[in-house]
Amino acid sequence: MPATTITAFERSPDRGRGLARDMRVRWALEEVGQPYGTRLVSFAQMKAPAHRALHPFGQIPTYEEGSLALFETGAIVLHIAESHAGLLPADAHARSRAIMWMFAALNTVEPPIVEWGAAKILEQDKPWYAQRQPLLDERVRTRLAELAQRLGEADWLDGDTFSAGDLLMVTVLRRLGDASPLLGEQPSLLAYIARGEARPAYQRAFADQLAVFTASQAPN
Ligand code: GTB
């Protein structure tokens, strides 16, 4: 049995597209070569006391390793990156910059993307949606343009070396979806996402979460 267990949706609403946040934890564990087990939880189980003991907000993913239990993907990915080689550079300044990009992905780029996605799902039928949507588009568009400007011609956010900052940023950008017109305006970000998705560790993580969806579709 692997020493590490994460939780993920028993039935992910993304239907295997790897958009739920267990994907970033799976990818991080694959990058550093750590085996893990997955405990699948239903929506009811997520809100029950046993799961809330691990995750006060009743969400996935969680991370258990021996006596350590964590929630929040930023904290989980940082823990994995600090415990194993492969996701944070050895040089102290480069390491701090990689952590800076982790925070930038989660605190500066993810919020407008999540807001944009939530409005699309929850507010389409509301009278204010048509007025609000261009505003939400513009907030995302601005962040993407700023990010593309900084990335420039580089492969990764800090130059040549992939880090936990890139791992989180790629997963955050993927939330916009494959055919997002907003991402389409920034070809360098599309290429950046594709570089992340081409990594063997990403592919293993993606296949594992897809297998959960495929199994959930199988007739009993
Ligand atoms: N800040 C926390 C973290 O980074 O760990 C956020 C965790 C979180 O939002 N978890 C979501 C959850 O458990 C799943 S990932 N939601 C259930 C709830 O809150 O009751 C978010 C997500 C869900 C679905 C899709 N999708 O279908 O495309 C994408 C992302």
Side-chain angles (χ1 to χ4, degrees), residues 9 13-14 17 19-21 24 43 46-47 58-61 72-73 175:
F9 284 132
D14 72 357
R17 285 184 299 152
L19 300 178
R21 288 184 177 90
R24 47 183 76 159
F43 275 88
M46 278 192 318
K47 307 301 175 192
Q59 296 183 314
I60 60 95
E72 280 300 329
T73 50
R175 283 288 290 272

Side-chain angles (χ1 to χ4, degrees), residues 9 21 31 65 79 86 91 96 102 106 129 160 163 206:
F9 284 132
R21 288 184 177 90
E31 286 286 347
E65 180 199 324
H79 168 74
D91 173 77
S96 292
M102 294 177 70
L106 301 182
Y129 182 70
D160 295 339
S163 81
F206 187 88

Side-chain angles (χ1 to χ4, degrees), residues 12-167:
S12 181
D14 72 357
R15 303 182 64 79
R17 285 184 299 152
L19 300 178
R21 288 184 177 90
D22 57 296
M23 180 61 200
R24 47 183 76 159
V25 177
R26 292 175 184 273
W27 185 8
L29 286 164
E30 292 288 351
E31 286 286 347
V32 302
Q34 285 301 302
Y36 64 97
T38 308
R39 189 167 65 250
L40 302 177
V41 287
S42 65
F43 275 88
Q45 285 168 330
M46 278 192 318
K47 307 301 175 192
H51 187 76
R52 282 198 193 269
L54 287 173
H55 198 310
F57 308 117
Q59 296 183 314
I60 60 95
T62 58
Y63 176 98
E64 291 160 86
E65 180 199 324
S67 59
L68 176 68
L70 294 175
F71 63 94
E72 280 300 329
T73 50
I76 297 170
V77 171
L78 183 59
H79 168 74
I80 295 166
E82 285 188 321
S83 308
H84 307 278
L87 283 172
L88 287 175
D91 173 77
H93 283 190
R95 197 177 179 89
S96 292
R97 286 195 303 274
I99 294 170
M100 168 186 78
W101 278 116
M102 294 177 70
F103 278 89
L106 301 182
N107 284 355
T108 305
V109 180
E110 187 164 50
I113 291 178
V114 167
E115 190 67 17
W116 175 90
K120 232 168 100 162
I121 295 168
L122 303 171
E123 295 176 19
Q124 285 233 18
D125 58 339
K126 301 287 189 279
W128 63 80
Y129 182 70
Q131 269 187 308
R132 187 161 182 251
Q133 192 210 4
L135 204 106
L136 297 176
D137 282 357
E138 204 45 43
R139 283 189 196 144
V140 172
R141 181 176 284 119
T142 301
R143 281 291 176 265
L144 297 184
E146 290 164 341
L147 186 65
Q149 173 71 28
R150 171 54 78 98
L151 182 66
E153 305 278 299
D155 274 357
W156 305 114
L157 293 167
D158 199 46
D160 295 339
T161 310
F162 175 83
S163 81
D166 295 293
L167 185 150

